[in-house]
Amino acid sequence: MQTEDYIKAGKIASEVREIARKKNWIGKTVYEICEEIEGEIRKRGAKCAFPVNTSINEVAAHYTAEPNDSLTISDSDLVKIDLGAQINGFIADTAVTVNY
């Protein structure tokens, strides 16, 4: 059962990472991005392993938006999105960097 849970978490994390990579986030707030990605994880039957991190430009990693965070993606930003999916306590963690 453990192996199946790891595999399922990995597949979900991979699918959602690719959605995040392909989506045009310009004009979206970091909070909107985090909410949408977390929703995609839940929609696939997993829990979030941790809050989605969306870091911009010189922020290397682990920026997590809070409600009402007005930080918005522009067309010149380097955006790092770190996400994790969890199935029955087994976690898959992945990230992607996109440049607009």
Side-chain angles (χ1 to χ4, degrees):
M1 216 37 163
Q2 294 176 354
T3 303
E4 292 172 10
D5 291 339
Y6 272 126
I7 291 169
K8 185 173 181 181
K11 285 181 180 181
I12 291 168
S14 176
E15 287 174 12
V16 176
R17 182 196 61 230
E18 288 306 298
I19 289 169
R21 183 181 67 80
K22 293 176 182 178
K23 181 135 182 166
N24 183 348
W25 298 110
I26 295 170
K28 298 285 187 182
T29 67
V30 173
Y31 182 74
E32 290 171 322
I33 295 168
C34 293
E35 286 291 299
E36 186 169 333
I37 293 171
E38 289 175 1
E40 291 291 339
I41 292 168
R42 287 190 297 273
K43 185 165 63 172
R44 287 165 173 72
K47 294 180 182 176
C48 295
F50 49 85
V52 169
N53 296 272
T54 304
S55 306
I56 303 172
N57 299 326
E58 72 279 354
V59 178
H62 302 131
Y63 182 88
T64 301
E66 295 189 20
N68 302 315
D69 189 332
S70 62
L71 185 60
T72 303
I73 305 301
S74 75
D75 63 358
S76 62
D77 286 332
L78 181 70
V79 181
K80 289 83 66 182
I81 300 172
D82 186 0
L83 62 103
Q86 184 255 117
I87 300 289
N88 297 321
F90 298 94
I91 294 171
D93 180 358
T94 187
V96 64
T97 301
V98 291
N99 189 26
Y100 294 106

